[in-house]
Amino acid sequence: MEKIQMTTPLVELDGDEMTRVLWQQIKDELLAPYIDLKTEYYDLGLPHREETKDQVTVDAANAIKRYGVGVKCATITPNAQRVEEYKLSRMWKSPNGTIRAILDGTVFRAPIMVEGISPVVKNWKKPITIARHAYGDVYKATEYRVPGPGKAELVFTDESGKETFRETVYDFECPGVLQGMYNKDSSIASFARACFQYALNTRQDLWFSAKDTISKQYDHTFKDIFQDIFDAEYKTRFDELGLTYFYTLIDDAVARVVRSEGGFIWACKNYDGDVMSDMVSTAFGSLAMMTSVLVSPEGNFEYEAAHGTVTRHYYRYLKGEETSTNPVATLFAWTGALAKRGELDGLDGLTRFARALERAALDTIRAGVMTKDLAGLWEGAAPARAVNSLDFLRAVREKLEASL
Ligand code: NAP
Ligand code: MG
């Protein structure tokens, strides 16, 4: 078979530990033999971030802006222990945080479903995608402990120095806690557009939830911006495709989500998205089967697995022990990115190959061949055979060959 040609490079962001090992295996076994892989390679492995003083992360994000599509391996976010372990000169920031700040995107997380691995919620038949607004709110809040009695106020001084608002938050009669948080109309608007656009691209309904009954200014602003942008820019296209957008209170959304059969996008404010995405991914079965894509308002895409670098497995791998780390979410990051590249460049063959590779991976699991994490959850008809990562990828390759 002749290799599939690419026209525009895919921005490739390599990473750390176990996922870096899987990254190479996926390329060697399932991509390079079939595609004339054209990538612009950035090594975001922690040693190279240290060498470049983290410039490589900024360069990679800018490359995604240039080319439109990137695929990222999981990376270590350094903490004190990592500074020691990797002899770092600084505690470099989270690469995902840096990339998000440059691309200004929204993160969509969706589970990969396969018969035999049942969601805990029995009526979930289709994936539920969570769109998390990854900017502001409690993540950028200012807070402190209040030492004792006194008055807490919320003050706004405009550019010219004029005090325009002063509201009492609370007259403290005893010690307590205090927090001030914010968001920006521009960020909320790009969050809304990313959600509407993603709903159109994936042909799914969009739900948005907040707590506007209690938060009459803050959350209500989110609700209003979503509705105004929907009416002005997206309603016609939603109607044409028979898609729905609606807003509902977060309490009502939670109840509806649990009773639903899935197949929609649930847009959440930053904190709600943080918490709900962990709840939803656990309920779908496994963090190792969760994909994540960052979509920017200008239409740039960055695909990755939702899980981390699987450190515990890596330490075993370094000792020469056999590891059975699940490569499916990392593989789907590649197929998602290749399919998008194919779509943008009009390369049907590339998109078709990516979809065939996804089917081969799911067919392998359906046939009972899977990594250890899934074998523990397996309820399928075929008996489960737990294999190591490389044997799993080779089994996928056999299925792929049979389908080509
Ligand atoms: P993790 O790498 O997601 O792993 C947590 C545990 O989940 C693993 O120990 C493993 O459980 C299970 N697991 C996750 N992915 C799996 C897979 N593909 N196959 C099988 N089991 C899997 O999270 P972490 O241990 O908290 O973080 C490790 C490093 O990753 C940290 O340095 C963190 O900064 C980084 N991280 C990066 C990203 C990212 O780049 N997007 C996201 C999160 C964390 P068992 O050990 O029980 O088998
Ligand atoms: Mg979380």
Side-chain angles (χ1 to χ4, degrees):
M1 192 187 118
E2 227 173 86
K3 283 195 190 184
I4 297 163
Q5 297 296 313
M6 293 176 66
T7 47
T8 317
L10 186 59
V11 183
E12 174 183 355
L13 288 69
D14 207 343
D16 289 298
E17 301 195 311
M18 206 59 223
T19 38
R20 187 180 180 98
V21 176
L22 297 177
W23 194 259
Q24 197 57 49
Q25 291 177 349
I26 289 169
K27 285 172 67 179
D28 292 347
E29 291 293 324
L30 296 173
L31 303 176
Y34 308 98
I35 305 172
D36 192 19
L37 256 191
K38 209 182 237 181
T39 72
E40 192 161 298
Y41 181 84
Y42 292 86
D43 183 1
L44 267 62
L46 191 47
H48 195 241
R49 273 182 276 153
E50 167 69 19
E51 269 168 42
T52 61
K53 306 223 171 312
D54 210 23
Q55 184 60 38
V56 66
T57 308
V58 175
D59 293 346
N62 285 322
I64 295 174
K65 270 192 153 170
R66 249 190 339 270
Y67 294 115
V69 189
V71 57
K72 179 179 171 292
C73 179
T75 47
I76 292 168
T77 298
N79 54 17
Q81 185 258 319
R82 299 296 199 168
V83 170
E84 179 79 7
E85 181 183 356
Y86 283 83
K87 307 275 172 273
L88 302 179
S89 58
R90 275 190 55 187
M91 197 185 289
W92 305 111
K93 286 192 201 150
S94 149
N96 284 5
T98 303
I99 294 166
R100 264 203 303 265
I102 293 171
L103 296 179
D104 178 24
T106 298
V107 176
F108 296 86
R109 256 190 178 200
I112 301 158
M113 293 183 76
V114 54
E115 303 95 89
I117 311 285
S118 330
V120 177
V121 181
K122 292 280 173 268
N123 40 286
W124 287 358
K125 305 276 183 263
K126 298 179 208 156
I128 295 169
T129 302
I130 294 210
R132 172 180 169 192
H133 183 210
Y135 182 84
D137 297 356
V138 70
Y139 302 84
K140 289 279 180 201
T142 305
E143 58 174 31
Y144 48 80
R145 276 196 51 72
V146 172
K151 185 185 179 121
E153 292 178 296
L154 196 58
V155 181
F156 179 77
T157 312
D158 74 15
E159 277 184 313
S160 71
K162 183 167 159 271
E163 184 184 303
T164 30
F165 291 107
R166 179 178 289 268
E167 295 277 344
T168 301
V169 177
Y170 191 64
D171 270 315
F172 281 91
E173 73 286 355
C174 66
V177 285
L178 187 66
Q179 181 182 70
M181 64 180 192
Y182 73 94
N183 221 303
K184 303 191 293 187
D185 285 5
S186 57
S187 176
I188 301 167
S190 50
F191 172 45
R193 290 197 176 92
C195 291
F196 291 127
Q197 195 54 52
Y198 195 77
L200 289 173
N201 289 349
T202 59
R203 306 260 190 284
Q204 298 184 87
D205 290 343
L206 178 69
W207 304 11
F208 175 51
S209 61
K211 192 77 177 177
D212 66 296
T213 47
I214 298 297
S215 172
K216 290 184 177 9
Q217 296 296 329
Y218 203 109
D219 280 22
H220 214 292
T221 296
F222 278 76
K223 177 184 175 179
D224 291 343
I225 289 177
F226 264 73
Q227 195 63 52
D228 290 349
I229 290 179
F230 178 71
D231 292 341
E233 301 172 28
Y234 293 95
K235 189 172 184 317
T236 321
R237 275 180 285 165
F238 268 60
D239 287 348
E240 280 163 13
L241 293 173
L243 299 175
T244 311
Y245 163 68
F246 72 91
Y247 170 86
T248 187
L249 275 177
I250 180 99
D251 326 46
D252 178 52
V254 168
R256 282 183 194 235
V257 163
V258 172
R259 284 197 309 263
S260 77
E261 61 165 50
F264 55 87
I265 299 162
W266 180 14
C268 292
K269 289 180 58 204
N270 209 349
Y271 177 82
D272 297 338
D274 184 351
V275 177
M276 291 305 162
S277 64
D278 284 334
M279 199 271 288
V280 168
S281 65
T282 308
F284 267 106
S286 170
L287 188 57
M289 297 289 277
M290 188 65 68
T291 60
S292 175
V293 52
L294 174 71
V295 182
S296 85
E298 293 95 52
N300 300 311
F301 296 79
E302 184 213 33
Y303 293 82
E304 67 170 338
H307 61 75
T309 60
V310 211
T311 311
R312 289 210 292 174
H313 294 210
Y314 184 60
Y315 290 157
R316 291 209 293 271
Y317 167 86
L318 288 181
K319 282 194 261 168
E321 291 170 33
E322 188 170 88
T323 51
S324 180
T325 315
N326 190 336
V328 171
T330 304
L331 175 62
F332 274 60
W334 274 101
T335 54
L338 289 167
K340 178 56 77 178
R341 196 64 277 165
E343 187 191 314
L344 295 177
D345 296 347
L347 302 172
D348 289 348
L350 187 60
T351 304
R352 271 202 310 275
F353 173 80
R355 298 302 173 217
L357 188 46
E358 290 173 353
R359 277 195 302 277
L362 297 181
D363 285 346
T364 304
I365 299 170
R366 278 189 202 103
V369 179
M370 62 199 79
T371 45
K372 250 190 203 151
D373 56 308
L374 294 185
L377 304 167
W378 184 245
E379 293 176 347
R385 187 157 67 85
V387 296
N388 66 41
S389 309
L390 192 55
D391 286 346
F392 176 78
L393 293 173
R394 290 191 172 138
V396 173
R397 183 165 178 175
E398 269 177 43
K399 287 270 183 229
L400 177 70
E401 297 267 342
S403 77
L404 292 177

